[in-house]
Amino acid sequence: MNDVRYTVAGTPIRGTIVAFAGADGSVDHLCSELALDWQIVTVDTLGAGSIIDVAPHSCPASSSDSHNALPEPRRTEPPHRTEPHRASPELYSSPLKLGQTSPDISADEVERALHFAIARIEQTHDHGVVLMGSGRGAELAARVAQRIPQAIIALVLDCAPARVFSVLGTTDATAVKTAATTKTPIGTHATDAAALASSDAHSSPHPVAYSDTDSGVTPTAIPTASSAVTPDSALVSEDHLDAAAVVRFLDAVYPESREAQPYIEPELLDIIRQSPTPAHITIGQARERSEQFYQPVELPQGFSMRIQQLSSDSSRSFETRLICGEGNVGAVLFVVHGGGYVAGTAKGEDIRCVELIHDFSAYVWPEGDATSDTAAKTFLSVTPDYALAPEFPHPAGLRDTLTALRWTFAEFPHLPVILYGDSAGSGMIRQLLHHLDEGELAAISGVIALEPCLSPRMDTASFAAYRNALSWTKESAENAWEAYGMTGARAAVARLREAGMDSVRAAEQGYGLPTPPIGSVGLEEVEPPITHLSPNFPATLIVINPADTLRDEGIAWFTHLADLGANVQIHSYPGTLHGWLSASGTHTWERVRRDLRPFVAEVIAHHAAQS
């Protein structure tokens, strides 16, 4: 089967642009301005064959603006990403390239482009895309928009041939250009250019056309023919569009991607309403909330606790909390707390440790077991109070956690060890696994990762959809990753600082903390690329929340592990959101624990069989 050939660039913060670039037009001069906020999928071919060379453009270039200069020819090497286009086989009987010179766009070509656009739309969180095209690609984009207008956010057509305007159900290109040049509106609805370009403009009630002329970019309303179907907003020009004009247009018609409206479990919503998270929470406030929610645990009869002081360097030490159930230790639960790498404490996990020790011990070694030597076994939890950023940026927390884990291996040799993390704790475990040798990996029986916080890129669809969520907003994530020392968060936090919301400024926090060096940690240290897995990689269970900025990176981790051959499973529960999945005393948390028990029993049994 033939492939659609395309390239992917940019970040889908605002959304996705699908661009069709023909031999008589290129969109490269527009993409560079848009790639900071948009993911741009540029289609080069719709059938078999190598990437086309860009032929000389048929539309003129203005010498008054560098954006209008002819772009360099497109690269001829294969793009960095390809995806099979699974349309019906008969569509590939005579493969067509966008650069193929023909007087008309064929029905087969439109069908292939339509199938590709729908596939991309299904991958976006708001189920809509901006369609962009240049030259023949402009007509192709217009025809696709005509078929699925409900899924097209806006239409941007560069170097558009005259017949595009008939597709849009309006006058010819000459009439549009003349009207725009003379500032005469077409039809009965005119739109003020200054209002459209201003930051207060959010949408246009009618399809809008721009014409890029020496007199400036002036919007005019296109009267839609009764038989024509078009998206709500269109930006069309016979000439090369100015990139800044495209940015202004998209800012006006689609200022932000739509936020999700998820179902939230009522019991969790009630808890959140009783103690709402501030819209702009600093690291200091996050730590204060952690202390407010902390309740000293009352150990059940037969349980015990002790504190072990450990050190990963000579300058400081950290405590590690051990809680043991009643009986002989039969397995270890190594718990890594959450808090975005900047908050949270080991003591805050005490109540969950007691619950999990009770659950897992009773399930794996139930009372009345016929084998007397297993009836009295219990789990032991080990929870390090690792160093937090920004006082101790990466890799200080990772070193502490690694030190505590290796101490656990030495203290409890031959016992099965299960790693358990929540949010940043799950992310710390992922980093931890990358630093273990084969023998250490073999000593880990399983991994439980709840709502994992993994990637400082923050570029997934769920980050866009839930950027202002009830908990763990995108702003909170940017603050946390910046404090951790990540390069990827630098620009975002710089914007927060300009707005007076610096979450690591000592004067605001009252902690007297030093501001860490910006961008001191590389992405490969926190999110290393992994191309193969060790045969000793432990069985892994991942739990994600439907309404969570971190949802998609958890799904991506699961998919990656599955593709590499890991024993991995993923779970999700209706109405859960970040930070409240394991709220003690809720039916939600009981449901999660109920599903963890069989996994724990399975990995313990596997360890026993291997011993």
Side-chain angles (χ1 to χ4, degrees), residues 156-339:
V156 178
L157 306 181
D158 181 62
C159 295
R163 57 178 177 259
V164 163
F165 293 86
S166 64
V167 175
L168 296 175
T170 184
T171 57
D172 60 27
T174 303
V176 172
K177 184 170 183 177
T178 301
T181 303
T182 59
K183 295 181 171 56
T184 302
I186 298 175
T188 58
H189 303 287
T191 305
D192 180 68
L196 185 63
S198 73
S199 59
D200 294 332
H202 295 295
S203 62
S204 173
H206 301 283
V208 173
Y210 278 115
S211 181
D212 190 19
T213 68
D214 291 339
S215 61
V217 178
T218 304
T220 60
I222 299 177
T224 303
S226 59
S227 61
V229 181
T230 61
D232 289 339
S233 301
L235 175 60
V236 186
S237 176
E238 284 186 289
D239 300 333
H240 275 302
L241 282 167
D242 180 80
V246 176
V247 171
R248 289 196 302 272
F249 168 72
L250 293 178
D251 285 346
V253 301
Y254 198 63
E256 284 190 313
S257 60
R258 290 190 290 271
E259 292 191 48
Q261 302 295 323
Y263 164 76
I264 304 298
E265 187 67 29
E267 67 170 351
L268 300 182
L269 196 57
D270 289 343
I271 296 173
I272 294 169
R273 285 171 175 164
Q274 293 171 16
S275 183
T277 302
H280 306 290
I281 187 169
T282 66
I283 292 175
Q285 290 171 330
R287 292 178 178 178
E288 290 170 0
R289 283 177 61 84
S290 179
E291 288 296 325
Q292 291 171 2
F293 280 105
Y294 170 68
Q295 294 181 348
V297 66
E298 184 175 342
L299 294 178
Q301 185 176 358
F303 277 59
S304 61
M305 177 191 294
R306 70 183 175 95
I307 307 297
Q308 179 72 37
Q309 291 294 327
L310 299 174
S311 177
S312 58
D313 60 54
S314 59
S315 62
R316 59 183 179 81
S317 63
F318 62 94
E319 73 172 35
T320 297
R321 302 171 74 84
L322 286 77
I323 299 178
C324 186
E326 186 175 10
N328 298 320
V329 177
V332 176
L333 188 67
F334 187 85
V335 177
V336 188
H337 73 77

Side-chain angles (χ1 to χ4, degrees), residues 267 355-356 359-360 363 448 450 541 543 569 571 573-574 581 586-601:
E267 67 170 351
E355 291 173 333
L356 293 175
D359 280 3
F360 296 164
Y363 192 88
I448 297 172
L450 305 188
L541 184 150
V543 181
Q569 55 185 282
H571 297 255
Y573 303 89
L581 179 68
T586 62
H587 294 295
T588 298
W589 176 225
E590 171 55 35
R591 186 175 179 182
V592 174
R593 287 157 50 196
R594 197 163 54 237
D595 286 345
L596 296 182
R597 296 165 195 158
F599 172 79
V600 169

